[in-house]
Amino acid sequence: EIVLTQSPGTLSLSPGERATLSCRASQSVSSSYLAWYQQKPGQAPRLLIYGASSRATGIPDRFSGSGSGTDFTLTISRLEPEDFAVYYCQQYGSSQTFGQGTRLEIK
Amino acid sequence: QLQLQESGPGLVKPSETLSLTCTVSGGSISSSSYYWGWIRQPPGKGLEWIGSIYYSGSTYYNPSLKSRVTISVDTSKNQFSLKLSSVTAADTAVYYCARHFLANYDILTGYYNLGWFDPWGQGTLVTVSS
């Protein structure tokens, strides 16, 4: 099973700042089969990125994904108030597993 | 706009079987382009994929849950269902259903490589307690 480790566990930033979230896999993720989700309290996760770098429909371009192999990054270029949430990565190259999440909180 | 809605009992006794149904609206569950999946999230914790099903009945399960999980589909009702047997308190979670995109098809093995989930249902909390 591929284990995904997200860091940091919690990220404290201010609106307007740049956020960089990391997702590291225990082994190489084939074909960059990695997705990112945003989850707000009491809500279901929302797809942001698939294929490591493709934005889902309706996702603002301040969200971008990059990486390959075992190291992947979600970047939010300029934080908006509605971006403060928990973010999960998911790999689908070998079965399906999720990271433990990164909480993005307002500083 | 595709929507998914989970339904079923919110309380299940230990050792019994958890049963949930997901109703799909705004699109057909019989599309050849997608699987349909179940994911769960224990309170305050992360996400765990349970399994997914194609409209034909073909299934993929999480190996860690496979012995206790059955997922079925009813195309006439545009629904798919989850059964999880022999539940314990560790199965207490919010259960989500979601459309499961296909990443690719491996011609050599004949297996689909399942992909990302979008959209998700709102989720339903199932508590396992006597």
Side-chain angles (χ1 to χ4, degrees), chain B:
Chain B
Q1 181 183 359
L2 190 79
Q3 292 185 315
L4 299 93
Q5 178 69 58
E6 305 86 354
S7 60
L11 181 63
V12 181
K13 290 183 169 55
S15 80
E16 295 190 344
T17 296
L18 178 160
S19 296
L20 296 174
T21 295
C22 181
T23 301
V24 178
S25 58
S28 174
I29 202 170
S30 299
S31 169
S32 60
S33 302
Y34 313 107
Y35 269 62
W36 304 89
W38 288 99
I39 306 101
R40 69 180 182 178
Q41 183 173 37
K45 296 188 178 180
L47 300 160
E48 179 181 36
W49 172 65
I50 300 170
S52 300
I53 191 165
Y54 200 50
Y55 74 94
S56 64
S58 171
T59 54
Y60 290 93
Y61 295 134
N62 184 328
S64 69
L65 297 169
K66 187 174 182 178
S67 63
R68 298 194 292 131
V69 174
T70 302
I71 297 176
S72 58
V73 64
D74 186 338
T75 55
S76 67
K77 295 181 179 179
N78 229 31
Q79 295 176 334
F80 61 106
S81 298
L82 167 70
K83 290 189 185 299
L84 180 65
S85 64
S86 304
V87 298
T88 69
D91 295 309
T92 294
V94 175
Y95 286 76
Y96 296 100
C97 58
R99 181 173 59 179
H100 200 168
F101 278 70
L102 300 178
N104 75 340
Y105 176 70
D106 189 327
I107 294 176
L108 293 177
T109 64
Y111 285 102
Y112 284 104
N113 204 138
L114 302 184
W116 56 97
F117 300 96
D118 182 54
W120 298 52
Q122 67 183 30
T124 187
L125 174 63
V126 179
T127 301
V128 178
S129 176
S130 55

Side-chain angles (χ1 to χ4, degrees), chain A residues 37 39 44 88 90 92 95-96, chain B residues 41 96 100 113-115 117 121:
Chain A
Y37 300 86
Q39 186 177 34
Y88 293 96
Q90 173 218 353
Y92 47 91
S95 189
Q96 320 281 315
Chain B
Q41 183 173 37
Y96 296 100
H100 200 168
N113 204 138
L114 302 184
F117 300 96

